[in-house]
Amino acid sequence: MRIVRHHEYGPSRVLRTEKAEPPAHGPEDVLVRAAAIGVDHADVQRRLGTFPLGAPPLPYCPSTDVAGTVVEVGDRVTGIEPGQRVVVWNAQDAYAELVAAPAARVLPLPDGLGFAEGTLLGSTGRVAVHLLQTARVAAGETVLVHAGAGAVGHIAVQAARALGAERVIATAGSPRKLDFVRSLGADAAVDYTRPDWPARVREAAGARRRGPAKIGRTGPKGVDVILDGVGGPRLLDDVRLLAPYGRLVFYGASGGDSEQPAIPLMELMGMRHVTGFSMATMLRSAPALVEEGVRLLVRLVSDGSVRPVIHERVPLDEAARAHDLLEQRVSMGRVVLVP
């Protein structure tokens, strides 16, 4: 089979298509023939050797979400059959024609959902929904989603609306992306490259309400929920944008800053709450909440409340071009590889 690896850290050209034996799979595993493979910013960071949690060992094949058809199942696997359409979330050695994964990481694809769109039911879509769970989004609140045109962001924008947010604000870095997030249902789109973006967010948040602002609600006082997977200096601006009892959930550093700013404790005296998100921690500490989130995601996609968007389908042998699309920040929705 074909597999894409890199044997050194560096630009996208270090990605190589190689020949390999099909992956071994045990009695509790499922072997899947890939039809679509998600490409994420974390893949780019690992290839560059700048991933915040450490560079991967070499040679390395990215681990991401894979949608395809079940080829074989282990003797102890139940509920999954050969020929079934599934998505594997966070599959190891994912840039390949065949992937093996524990059955616990395999989710059936709903009828009518394509393989490319189905990759977003993996870790990417889960993260979007789990962030909103972590933030405890309530009906009537205002939610700010940074990088709203990205793979996680474009799901979060739609899911926030479906969960009852009264106003959804998304940031993006180009006119095309601003139009894109509006098409997803964002009430306001703010260009984060402008130095006055925080003032524009505050203005957009306050535009939703007539009369005096109420504590715990958005208005002149700020934003109720902020989801930030970009990081960097803007984190301090995020904190200052929070309304009383507002919640900031930080979940990554796709902006490329290896170190994040310290948040002065005095900035939290306005009853502002800041937390981080880790899928691994959530799986260990709140498995029931994880399952609830997965069911919610499948329902939102199945009933049309959330529409996964594919920016481009790129041949597996052109994985370098797929990485370039993300690194150049031109993609909207998700980029997928097609074996």
Side-chain angles (χ1 to χ4, degrees):
M1 71 169 191
R2 289 176 299 152
I3 187 171
V4 175
R5 299 187 179 106
H6 57 92
H7 294 253
E8 59 184 309
Y9 308 117
S12 61
R13 63 175 179 270
V14 303
L15 293 170
R16 305 178 187 174
T17 303
E18 303 173 345
K19 292 290 185 180
E21 292 296 320
H25 58 287
E28 298 180 354
D29 296 336
V30 176
L31 183 66
V32 175
R33 183 171 299 280
I37 303 159
V39 181
D40 297 324
H41 271 287
D43 303 345
V44 173
Q45 291 178 315
R46 290 187 177 99
R47 189 205 75 226
L48 291 168
T50 60
F51 188 61
L53 298 180
L58 298 173
Y60 182 72
C61 175
S63 302
T64 184
D65 306 319
V66 176
T69 304
V70 175
V71 176
E72 297 177 14
V73 299
D75 295 339
R76 299 179 189 169
V77 175
T78 60
I80 302 173
E81 302 292 339
Q84 193 170 1
R85 300 168 66 252
V86 299
V87 59
V88 182
W89 61 273
N90 197 28
Q92 303 299 303
D93 294 335
Y95 286 20
E97 292 179 300
L98 292 166
V99 299
R105 289 184 177 269
V106 178
L107 179 72
L109 287 182
D111 293 339
L113 186 66
F115 286 118
E117 293 79 7
T119 64
L120 285 152
L121 290 183
S123 54
T124 300
R126 289 179 178 220
V127 166
V129 170
H130 293 332
L131 291 172
L132 294 167
Q133 289 176 298
T134 302
R136 295 180 172 86
V137 172
E141 292 189 316
T142 290
V143 177
L144 169 62
V145 180
H146 282 301
V152 172
H154 90 286
I155 298 294
V157 166
Q158 298 174 80
R161 171 72 71 213
L163 293 177
E166 182 176 333
R167 191 161 183 81
V168 179
I169 304 168
T171 65
S174 72
R176 289 178 64 242
K177 289 186 175 183
L178 294 171
D179 288 341
F180 175 65
V181 296
R182 292 188 192 98
S183 76
L184 299 172
D187 298 285
V190 174
D191 185 347
Y192 66 79
T193 67
R194 295 178 59 113
D196 65 342
W197 72 265
R200 290 177 175 268
V201 167
R202 192 176 293 276
E203 179 182 2
R208 74 166 234 215
R209 196 172 293 282
R210 297 291 183 266
K214 298 178 182 179
I215 291 179
R217 294 299 190 196
T218 313
K221 291 184 179 297
V223 178
D224 298 303
V225 170
I226 301 177
L227 308 182
D228 193 335
V230 181
R234 79 177 61 193
L235 279 173
L236 291 178
D237 293 309
D238 283 344
V239 173
R240 293 162 185 155
L241 280 170
L242 287 173
Y245 301 96
R247 290 88 70 200
L248 163 63
V249 184
F250 172 69
Y251 66 100
S254 66
D257 292 281
S258 58
E259 295 186 9
Q260 301 304 313
I263 298 175
L265 287 177
M266 293 304 294
E267 293 287 355
L268 306 180
M269 296 299 286
M271 302 300 291
R272 298 158 172 154
H273 302 263
V274 179
T275 189
F277 171 82
S278 162
M279 177 74 85
T281 301
M282 193 171 185
L283 283 166
R284 287 194 304 269
S285 61
L289 192 60
V290 170
E291 289 303 316
E292 177 186 320
V294 173
R295 289 193 297 270
L296 173 62
L297 175 62
V298 171
R299 177 175 66 79
L300 293 178
V301 171
S302 298
D303 69 15
S305 299
V306 168
R307 175 176 59 91
V309 176
I310 302 303
H311 178 83
E312 188 172 341
R313 295 164 173 81
V314 178
L316 179 65
D317 293 337
E318 299 178 25
R321 183 165 69 83
H323 275 221
D324 289 341
L325 290 171
L326 270 68
E327 205 162 0
Q328 294 164 7
R329 301 191 180 278
V330 298
S331 61
M332 295 178 290
R334 192 170 217 189
V335 175
V336 297
L337 296 174
V338 179

